[in-house]
């Protein structure tokens, strides 16, 4: 109900480069290479509450999907 009045965003342009950010333990360059022709690791970032151990996220630039990742995932 809260977001009911939002307009539908345009469909993503899969011909352009993308960005994948996920927990480092859940994503790898090898897995992404099965879904995208180009995979470039960009490093990691750590997020979390102050005073608590943060969670590490891996960041990748990706391009040229090998399959329909929107419908089938990666």
């Amino acid at each position: 109900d809260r977001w009911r009045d939002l307009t539908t965003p345009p469909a993503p342009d899969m011909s352009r480069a993308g960005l994948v950010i996920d927990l480092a333990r859940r994503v790898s360059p090898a897995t992404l290479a099965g879904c995208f022709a180009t995979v470039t690791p960009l490093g990691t970032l750590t997020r979390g509450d102050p005073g608590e151990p943060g969670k590490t996220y891996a960041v990748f630039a990706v391009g040229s999907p090998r399959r329909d990742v929107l419908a089938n995932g990666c």
Side-chain angles (χ1 to χ4, degrees):
D1 290 342
R2 181 179 191 181
W3 307 107
R4 186 180 310 192
D5 296 330
L6 293 179
T7 59
T8 303
D13 182 352
M14 298 305 287
S15 68
R16 299 183 64 190
L19 190 64
V20 173
I21 302 171
D22 199 356
L23 289 169
R25 64 181 167 79
R26 292 197 307 207
V27 67
S28 72
T31 301
L32 291 174
C35 300
F36 298 94
T38 60
V39 177
T40 305
L42 299 177
T44 60
L45 53 96
T46 303
R47 305 254 325 171
D49 294 327
E52 298 289 325
K55 292 185 169 46
T56 302
Y57 291 82
V59 183
F60 299 91
V62 296
S64 303
R66 298 181 189 273
R67 61 181 188 199
D68 185 350
V69 294
L70 293 177
N72 301 319
C74 179

